[in-house]
Amino acid sequence: MVSSRIAQPSVAVGQEAKKLMLFDLDYRGHHAGYIQHLVTYWCDHNLPGQLDVLVSPKFTQQHSKIIDRYSSHPNLQFVSIHAQDYERLVDSAALETSFTGRIKRAFQEWNILQKYTKSLGTDHCLLMYFDTVFLRFAFGGTLPCPFSSIYFRPLFHYPSFANYTPAGREQVWQWRDRVCLAKLLSNQRLQTLFCLDPFAVAHLNQLDKRSRAVFLQDPVRIYHNSNPQSEHLRQELGIQSGRKVFLLFGALSERKGMFQVLDAIASLPPQICEQICLLLVGPIQPPEKEALQARIQDVAAAKPVQIVAHHAFISDEAIQPYFDLSDVILAPYQRHIGMSAILVRAAAAQKPVLSSDFGLMGEITRFYKLGLAVDSTVPAEIAKGLSQCVLQPTEQIGDRLKMKEFAQQNEASGFASKIFQHLMTVPTGA
């Protein structure tokens, strides 16, 4: 267990101090960033009460800087679950492909949540990634304390989106979501259902007589960057002059559409390819790394394109220069359900996106005029988008004012402020 010194918080007269818990056992991707946004806000604003952050041992290993930064705060503690509990968990990386694994993990996380809310005496718990334990509600799950949750990937309302046709298991998933939502919304201990999909909130509140669904922005903290930093990084990466940089950023996997992008480039004429630098930045698993490197070699041998791959984890503070030096941000996710912070970072950098036209990402791209939305499952459609971005001045792609509006809506401070505003308010009739 990793914890800070605990002391009685100062509380305003007449206000009862709450013992809050943030619950998230994943350490990858956005998970650490969300926790950091919340604990930073908690400490900076000296909020009353006690905040327990329940994480995995892997989190304490991978993100020790976050823990060390806040270890001296008197009413904040990071609590690592016991190693035996963690070792029994189904691996997070397997959840994308294993339905039975998701069910098993849902029950495991629920049991851990019940155990630690009891032992820590939690007054209110925020489930940072509700989708993981969503299935547990279909089996009548309950907690010993009131709770709120962040719902990342609602799918039940996708038929209301333009040009949506369900594919694969999506109809089954929509049925599952409706069943689980009915169970969730009948739970009297639910206080607030935060949702990262602004289009889903109205649908959720039509189902809930108490209207507990609240839109929550996908938070991004932008660290101000100087032009020399971006230029230095450009030189460090060896990006050739005269080329437009197309950035594909984040944990690289097949679902991000990187192979479709390479297939698209392979179909482009040489005069277009010689103006493109494809910049692939982010960690990648060994099997996919081998396949990616082989495909890069094939495409680079056939076409006069520059492809730069930088397979490393980039800390939050060091991300922005990659967006600033790029001309176009790629988000060709493959039928991705939910939001992506890539859209926010691109908007903050005032760079157009070439995004999937599917689901929420497509809807956001069109609504805020962030760039081009194409069918990213079809390389020929990506190729058309790439050609347009090369031949047309990038300043003419997307609406910079709408980009700025979208980026401002998703500032990290607003995310944290909204969450604590709801967690620390006793609902009417409670």
Side-chain angles (χ1 to χ4, degrees):
M1 179 180 289
V2 180
S3 65
S4 69
R5 180 174 58 88
I6 301 176
Q8 284 296 109
S10 59
V11 184
V13 176
Q15 182 182 9
E16 183 181 352
K18 278 188 176 183
K19 205 167 192 296
L20 304 176
M21 175 193 286
L22 308 181
F23 173 78
D24 195 340
L25 299 185
D26 205 336
Y27 62 92
R28 306 166 302 156
H30 74 271
H31 297 269
Y34 277 29
I35 288 174
Q36 185 171 3
H37 295 323
L38 291 172
V39 298
T40 298
Y41 188 91
W42 173 272
C43 295
D44 287 350
H45 290 79
N46 262 326
L47 297 181
Q50 169 71 30
L51 182 65
D52 297 328
V53 186
L54 188 63
V55 295
S56 68
K58 197 77 172 178
F59 182 98
T60 64
Q61 296 165 14
Q62 295 285 326
H63 303 291
S64 58
K65 288 183 180 179
I66 296 177
I67 295 172
D68 293 343
R69 186 178 302 172
Y70 301 103
S71 62
S72 62
H73 197 276
N75 60 338
L76 167 71
Q77 70 168 344
F78 283 87
V79 181
S80 174
I81 66 171
H82 295 301
Q84 300 94 314
D85 291 329
Y86 185 66
E87 288 166 3
R88 286 193 289 265
L89 281 174
V90 174
D91 185 15
S92 299
L95 301 182
E96 291 290 339
T97 56
S98 173
F99 179 69
T100 56
R102 285 196 294 273
I103 294 176
K104 187 175 180 181
R105 173 90 178 206
F107 278 81
Q108 290 173 330
E109 287 207 8
W110 192 264
N111 291 337
I112 289 172
L113 185 57
Q114 286 186 313
K115 173 181 175 181
Y116 284 86
T117 49
K118 288 178 182 176
S119 66
L120 292 170
T122 303
D123 294 317
H124 193 112
C125 176
L126 174 66
L127 284 65
M128 297 285 290
Y129 193 71
F130 176 65
D131 306 55
T132 307
V133 294
F134 196 16
L135 286 167
R136 185 64 183 87
F137 280 98
F139 298 90
T142 187
L143 286 175
C145 63
F147 67 96
S148 297
S149 58
I150 304 177
Y151 189 10
F152 276 72
R153 297 181 176 182
L155 178 65
F156 70 98
H157 67 304
Y158 271 33
S160 67
F161 289 167
N163 305 319
Y164 174 74
T165 302
R169 297 180 178 177
E170 287 169 17
Q171 284 183 315
V172 175
W173 295 340
Q174 287 168 357
W175 172 84
R176 173 206 64 190
D177 286 0
R178 284 191 291 268
V179 170
C180 293
L181 279 170
K183 292 286 187 180
L184 171 67
L185 297 174
S186 67
N187 194 315
Q188 297 301 305
R189 292 211 158 175
L190 171 67
Q191 178 170 311
T192 306
L193 181 61
F194 299 103
C195 183
L196 293 179
D197 185 334
F199 303 103
V201 171
H203 293 273
L204 288 165
N205 283 331
Q206 285 174 359
L207 301 173
D208 182 17
K209 294 178 180 178
R210 294 170 61 186
S211 298
R212 288 169 289 180
V214 173
F215 170 61
L216 183 68
Q217 54 269 62
D218 196 1
V220 170
R221 181 180 177 186
I222 303 300
Y223 296 84
H224 294 292
N225 172 47
S226 64
N227 287 331
Q229 279 180 282
S230 296
E231 191 54 40
H232 175 74
L233 181 60
R234 188 183 186 97
Q235 293 174 4
E236 193 176 85
L237 293 168
I239 295 171
Q240 298 166 0
S241 62
R243 292 183 182 269
K244 284 191 174 181
V245 179
F246 291 78
L247 172 66
L248 183 56
F249 184 92
L252 299 174
S253 65
E254 195 168 349
R255 72 180 184 87
K256 292 287 184 73
M258 57 191 181
F259 291 109
Q260 285 76 9
V261 170
L262 289 168
D263 289 345
I265 291 173
S267 71
L268 292 172
Q271 60 268 31
I272 297 293
C273 289
E274 64 190 9
Q275 298 181 62
I276 291 176
C277 171
L278 175 61
L279 179 57
L280 303 168
V281 179
I284 187 171
Q285 296 299 313
E288 287 186 305
K289 184 176 182 180
E290 292 177 14
L292 178 62
Q293 288 175 334
R295 187 66 183 128
I296 288 174
Q297 289 175 359
D298 291 342
V299 174
K303 299 289 180 176
V305 62
Q306 183 185 23
I307 303 175
V308 178
H310 182 52
H311 298 312
F313 170 77
I314 309 299
S315 67
D316 197 59
E317 295 89 340
I319 289 175
Q320 201 59 31
Y322 289 91
F323 284 76
D324 290 340
L325 69 81
S326 301
D327 296 286
V328 179
I329 311 303
L330 300 175
Y333 292 32
Q334 302 296 293
R335 295 189 75 85
H336 172 71
I337 300 165
M339 180 53 176
S340 170
I342 295 300
L343 298 183
V344 184
R345 290 194 178 277
Q350 294 279 281
K351 301 299 171 70
V353 298
L354 178 54
S355 170
S356 164
D357 67 352
F358 175 80
L360 179 59
M361 289 183 65
E363 204 76 359
I364 289 287
T365 300
R366 289 185 291 265
F367 185 83
Y368 286 99
K369 299 180 181 179
L370 302 181
L372 304 177
V374 303
D375 185 347
S376 60
T377 64
V378 181
E381 295 301 311
I382 298 176
K384 290 178 185 177
L386 292 171
S387 296
Q388 182 177 341
C389 292
V390 168
L391 297 174
Q392 184 177 352
T394 50
E395 295 79 11
Q396 297 178 11
I397 301 173
D399 184 324
R400 297 306 182 276
L401 289 177
K402 295 284 283 184
M403 290 178 187
K404 183 179 180 180
E405 176 190 347
F406 178 64
Q408 288 175 340
Q409 286 180 4
N410 289 274
E411 290 179 351
S413 58
F415 161 86
S417 173
K418 182 175 286 188
I419 284 181
F420 284 120
Q421 175 189 345
H422 284 271
L423 295 193
M424 304 188 77
T425 300
V426 178
T428 303

